[in-house]
Amino acid sequence: MPRFKRLTSSLITRLVALFLLLLLVVQVAGFTVVRRSIEANARQQVARELDVAENVWARMLAQNAEKLRQSATLLASDFGFRSAINSGDVETVQSVLENHGSRIGATVTAFLDTDFQVTASSLADDKMGQASKLVAGLPDYLSKNPSGAQLTVLNGVPYQFVMVPMRAPVTIGWVLMGFPVSVELANEMQLLLKVHVVMVTGGEAQRSLALSTLSASDAEVLLKSANQTEIELSNELVLARHVKQPSYSGQVETLLLRSAEEVLAPYRRLQLLLALINAGALLLFAVASSWVAQRITLPLRDLLDATLRLGRGEYQTPILHLTRRDEIGNLARAFDHMRVDIDAQQSEIRHLAYWDRLTGLPNRERFREALEQAIADNTTPARPVAVISLDLDRFKHVNDVLGYAFGDRLLQAVAGRLERLVTTPGDLVARRGGNEFAVLLQGADAQMAIEFTQRIARSFEVPLAFDDQTIDLSAGMGVACWPVDADSADLLLSRSEIAMYAAKRKLSGALLYDPSFDSASSQMLSLLTELRRAVEGNELRLFLQPKISLVDGSVVAAEALVRWEHPQRGLVPPMQFIPFAEQTGFVRKLTLWMFEEAARLMADERLQQHPLKISINLSTRDLLDPDLSVRLGNLLQRYEVQATQFCLEITESAIMDDPQRAETTLNRLSEQGFQLSIDDFGTGYSSLAYLKRLPVDELKIDKSFVMGMEKDDDDAKIVRSTIDLAHNLGLSVVAEGVENAVILGRLAALSCDEAQGYHISRPLPAEAFLNWRAQRAAAPLPKS
């Protein structure tokens, strides 16, 4: 019980965990999608803001240039400045340039003649040459682009230059002014749009910081980041926009930086709120799913308890939860129906386990338990217990002739007679199976048991009459007594059976158990055990009995027979081991051994010039083997012989044990090319009904009719009728049991095709048969 509680608790845990895991997966997936969407949107927003910042920064630079241009225009229009220019007063010109430049923040001012040569400059004299060099070519560019505000790098600092003409009224020179891009402009940009501005001069090999709204450490990191668009500054993700500024000399790049964290901050709070909502949903879902799982698993636990009760055989306790209208209720009702059905089936099984359905008598198991109880209940002084085993005579003959239904009625009638004889309380009659019965007599010794068998024999003297049929009853009976013959129930039963089989062999009616019976049985069991090793030990021998043609006397065929040459017992007669082999199924292995030996013999070169057909007997178990045709086909292929060289002999009784399966097997064998022969023809009861359906090539007349035809006219008529019947059906006929020349002559006169028997030859070992056949080649037909 604790184990099932653990199982159901584990099921609850697994259900809740599964539900929570599924919800968590959905939430994580949704949270991930939302987060990525937010980040994508933030980047898009930052990109838009950087687009605006880029335009604003360009606009601010343009406004500064316009302011400088207006100042330069004002200076160019100044009368005193123009007078100084006209008078060639360089010092006055230079002073005016310096004063005017300082007022407007222009650090570079100069007056250029019409050839763009520097006449005067705000730079010191020692820098004139440098100034002239730095602005070389710039005036020419500005004169052609009067609205331009080209950046130029001077000493690592980006400058904006403007140039306006001085006319009087024609152009007499040019006023050139330049001022550095100041950090104040960048700070204004940062305050306006929250975008940091960094200007960098120089190429990638040597970059220098011109101005920055960042801290020194962040500016240093920025210089090392090259052209990256996402940079980590002060533990914040910053998105950068690189703007290449048009520059006349040197390279100038403006970096517009916007913090992504500032944009994401509102969304972060939203994500936190969403996470709290998800956590609450997860907790609520856990509680709800636990409640639902309890609603499911607690009834399952009750059903598990009910299953345990059913396993212990307790079928009376009803199942719980029958009133529920959901799936649990349906399952509970199904379990309850199963409980009721199993209870009924168990009652039926218990009845079948101990009672015979046909006769209503106790069966073998019930008889054994009663015998064990009778022995166990004996007190001092012990009362003897006797067991009588009974086997009806000729019961198989009744089944074959009159049918199984008639046999069942016979068994019921016998059971009724035996029950009427058992009148003492504690005594018992049972059916042990088939046509075997057993009687338990408590307090009966050997003499009393034998007297009881005589009562049974007298009751069987009155024939049974069913419809128009009258059946004479007889049986073989064996008696064994406890404790004289055995000290246990099983041994007592076994020894009563041994006595019964001895009585049937000796036709004695009833016999008391004798230890000599048991030794014979042990010898048979020992032979059967040794037979299993006979094939591997090469102890079996192939013998052949010739069949001659009754037309010219030639040897046309032979019947294959098996002999067992035991290392200690010598040559064991076939009747001592073949029946046991058939009972155990080992006969199939003997059949395959015989066929393989015959196939090996067929491959002998001595049989190539004078072909021979070999007949091999098939048992009932062979015919019921669905793989027989495959096994034989493999042997034919291995030894390279033809199926037409073999004739397979089947008894009528073997066919009638299971006609449908036998017919299927025979059809397969016939399709392979094997010839088929009905052995012991005339001793069966139903084969004629199947003879026309079976692919039979030959009939073999039973030797009992052949041997009796010399003295019994009825046997002779049977032989003649069988020959005529076979020939009318297009079949050949073989007569076995030819013991003298008279019988051989009469068979020839009746147009029998082939014959075999001791008058022709006894069964011979394979090598001796080949020599005998060679000596008899073309021998004349023996005369009667």
Side-chain angles (χ1 to χ4, degrees), residues 38 317 373 486 723:
I38 288 174
T317 305
Q373 191 65 39
I723 295 173

Side-chain angles (χ1 to χ4, degrees), residues 306-316 342-343 346 350:
T307 304
L308 287 176
R309 291 195 300 273
L310 293 178
R312 293 192 298 267
E314 301 174 9
Y315 304 111
Q316 306 307 317
I342 291 177
D343 189 23
Q346 287 296 318
R350 284 191 293 270

Side-chain angles (χ1 to χ4, degrees), residues 108-220:
V108 178
T109 58
F111 179 76
L112 310 177
D113 59 17
T114 56
D115 293 328
F116 302 121
Q117 299 297 316
V118 178
T119 303
S121 172
S122 61
L123 296 176
D125 291 339
D126 58 338
K127 296 181 180 179
M128 286 295 293
Q130 183 182 4
S132 299
K133 182 178 180 181
L134 290 172
V135 300
L138 180 60
D140 182 60
Y141 169 80
L142 293 176
S143 66
K144 297 176 181 178
N145 297 277
S147 61
Q150 187 71 30
L151 290 178
T152 301
V153 179
L154 295 178
N155 296 325
V157 178
Y159 280 78
Q160 281 187 293
F161 280 92
V162 294
M163 189 174 70
V164 297
M166 180 180 286
R167 293 184 177 89
V170 296
T171 301
I172 61 173
W174 299 85
V175 177
L176 177 68
M177 288 189 176
F179 64 94
V181 180
S182 64
V183 72
E184 287 78 8
L185 186 64
N187 288 332
E188 182 181 355
M189 178 79 169
Q190 197 272 332
L191 291 173
L192 180 64
L193 298 178
K194 297 183 180 180
V195 174
H196 287 280
V197 180
V198 176
M199 294 195 75
V200 179
T201 61
E204 294 185 3
Q206 186 176 3
R207 292 159 57 90
S208 61
L209 186 66
L211 62 90
S212 172
T213 59
L214 298 173
S215 64
S217 59
D218 287 344
E220 186 66 26

Side-chain angles (χ1 to χ4, degrees), residues 23-327:
L23 179 60
L24 186 60
V25 168
V26 172
Q27 289 182 341
V28 170
F31 194 81
T32 302
V33 171
V34 169
R35 181 177 179 180
R36 290 184 177 178
S37 177
I38 288 174
E39 290 179 352
N41 290 334
R43 281 179 167 79
Q44 292 176 2
Q45 181 176 338
V46 170
R48 289 193 297 269
E49 290 182 4
L50 290 177
D51 289 339
V52 173
E54 183 179 351
N55 294 330
V56 171
W57 179 248
R59 185 62 178 167
M60 291 177 72
L61 290 177
Q63 287 178 350
N64 272 352
E66 182 62 27
K67 179 181 177 183
L68 185 59
R69 184 177 293 104
Q70 291 176 1
S71 296
T73 303
L74 182 61
L75 179 60
S77 302
D78 185 75
F79 179 76
F81 183 65
R82 295 176 66 178
S83 297
I85 293 296
N86 290 329
S87 64
D89 189 353
V90 176
E91 291 182 0
T92 301
V93 172
Q94 187 169 336
S95 175
V96 173
L97 289 174
E98 290 176 356
N99 292 333
H100 193 76
S102 62
R103 285 197 307 270
I104 65 174
T107 57
V108 178
T109 58
F111 179 76
L112 310 177
D113 59 17
T114 56
D115 293 328
F116 302 121
Q117 299 297 316
V118 178
T119 303
S121 172
S122 61
L123 296 176
D125 291 339
D126 58 338
K127 296 181 180 179
M128 286 295 293
Q130 183 182 4
S132 299
K133 182 178 180 181
L134 290 172
V135 300
L138 180 60
D140 182 60
Y141 169 80
L142 293 176
S143 66
K144 297 176 181 178
N145 297 277
S147 61
Q150 187 71 30
L151 290 178
T152 301
V153 179
L154 295 178
N155 296 325
V157 178
Y159 280 78
Q160 281 187 293
F161 280 92
V162 294
M163 189 174 70
V164 297
M166 180 180 286
R167 293 184 177 89
V170 296
T171 301
I172 61 173
W174 299 85
V175 177
L176 177 68
M177 288 189 176
F179 64 94
V181 180
S182 64
V183 72
E184 287 78 8
L185 186 64
N187 288 332
E188 182 181 355
M189 178 79 169
Q190 197 272 332
L191 291 173
L192 180 64
L193 298 178
K194 297 183 180 180
V195 174
H196 287 280
V197 180
V198 176
M199 294 195 75
V200 179
T201 61
E204 294 185 3
Q206 186 176 3
R207 292 159 57 90
S208 61
L209 186 66
L211 62 90
S212 172
T213 59
L214 298 173
S215 64
S217 59
D218 287 344
E220 186 66 26
V221 173
L222 186 63
L223 280 177
K224 297 178 180 178
S225 63
N227 294 321
Q228 296 181 14
T229 58
E230 295 185 5
I231 308 165
E232 190 78 21
L233 297 179
S234 300
N235 297 323
E236 287 189 10
L237 178 64
V238 176
L239 301 182
R241 174 69 59 83
H242 296 261
V243 181
K244 297 290 186 180
Q245 301 290 160
S247 174
Y248 179 74
S249 65
Q251 297 183 18
V252 181
E253 182 179 27
T254 301
L255 278 70
L256 303 176
L257 307 173
R258 181 70 168 98
S259 174
E261 297 297 330
E262 293 179 3
V263 178
L264 288 172
Y267 298 107
R268 299 291 189 205
R269 290 190 294 273
L270 179 61
Q271 284 181 306
L272 178 60
L273 179 59
L274 182 61
L276 292 175
I277 293 174
N278 286 341
L282 198 64
L283 178 61
L284 180 62
F285 192 82
V287 174
S289 59
S290 297
W291 180 79
V292 172
Q294 290 284 345
R295 286 275 299 168
I296 295 174
T297 55
L298 288 179
L300 290 179
R301 182 181 299 171
D302 294 335
L303 293 178
L304 286 174
D305 294 340
T307 304
L308 287 176
R309 291 195 300 273
L310 293 178
R312 293 192 298 267
E314 301 174 9
Y315 304 111
Q316 306 307 317
T317 305
I319 306 296
L320 299 177
H321 308 288
L322 295 177
T323 58
R324 291 182 57 156
R325 296 302 174 186
D326 55 6
E327 287 77 3

Side-chain angles (χ1 to χ4, degrees), residues 231-484:
I231 308 165
E232 190 78 21
L233 297 179
S234 300
N235 297 323
E236 287 189 10
L237 178 64
V238 176
L239 301 182
R241 174 69 59 83
H242 296 261
V243 181
K244 297 290 186 180
Q245 301 290 160
S247 174
Y248 179 74
S249 65
Q251 297 183 18
V252 181
E253 182 179 27
T254 301
L255 278 70
L256 303 176
L257 307 173
R258 181 70 168 98
S259 174
E261 297 297 330
E262 293 179 3
V263 178
L264 288 172
Y267 298 107
R268 299 291 189 205
R269 290 190 294 273
L270 179 61
Q271 284 181 306
L272 178 60
L273 179 59
L274 182 61
L276 292 175
I277 293 174
N278 286 341
L282 198 64
L283 178 61
L284 180 62
F285 192 82
V287 174
S289 59
S290 297
W291 180 79
V292 172
Q294 290 284 345
R295 286 275 299 168
I296 295 174
T297 55
L298 288 179
L300 290 179
R301 182 181 299 171
D302 294 335
L303 293 178
L304 286 174
D305 294 340
T307 304
L308 287 176
R309 291 195 300 273
L310 293 178
R312 293 192 298 267
E314 301 174 9
Y315 304 111
Q316 306 307 317
T317 305
I319 306 296
L320 299 177
H321 308 288
L322 295 177
T323 58
R324 291 182 57 156
R325 296 302 174 186
D326 55 6
E327 287 77 3
I328 297 294
N330 293 335
L331 182 61
R333 286 186 289 275
F335 261 89
D336 199 58
H337 288 314
M338 182 179 70
R339 174 187 66 83
V340 175
D341 292 342
I342 291 177
D343 189 23
Q345 291 174 6
Q346 287 296 318
S347 299
E348 179 68 15
I349 290 172
R350 284 191 293 270
H351 181 78
L352 294 176
Y354 293 105
W355 300 89
D356 178 59
R357 176 175 291 183
L358 177 64
T359 62
L361 294 177
N363 61 10
R364 183 185 186 95
E365 185 61 28
R366 177 72 185 90
F367 185 85
R368 179 178 174 277
E369 288 188 2
L371 179 57
E372 286 182 335
Q373 191 65 39
I375 293 174
D377 290 345
N378 261 292
T379 58
T380 305
R383 298 172 61 228
V385 176
V387 172
I388 302 173
S389 291
L390 179 150
D391 185 271
L392 296 178
D393 295 331
R394 301 178 300 280
F395 182 73
K396 186 176 185 303
H397 178 80
V398 172
N399 271 341
D400 290 340
V401 175
L402 302 176
Y404 289 100
F406 195 95
D408 290 344
R409 296 175 65 185
L410 172 63
L411 293 175
Q412 291 169 341
V414 171
R417 290 193 180 185
L418 292 177
E419 278 190 302
R420 286 191 290 272
L421 294 175
V422 178
T423 57
T424 304
D427 291 353
L428 183 69
V429 60
R431 182 189 177 199
R432 298 183 63 183
N435 59 325
E436 293 186 20
F437 294 83
V439 180
L440 170 64
L441 302 176
Q442 299 195 46
D445 57 12
Q447 182 60 37
M448 297 172 65
I450 288 296
E451 291 176 358
F452 194 88
T453 62
Q454 293 172 355
R455 293 172 57 192
I456 294 175
R458 286 195 297 272
S459 72
F460 282 0
E461 289 177 357
V462 180
L464 285 174
F466 297 118
D467 301 330
D468 296 332
Q469 298 290 338
T470 301
I471 304 297
D472 292 325
L473 290 178
S474 64
M477 291 175 279
V479 178
C481 298
W482 178 88
V484 176

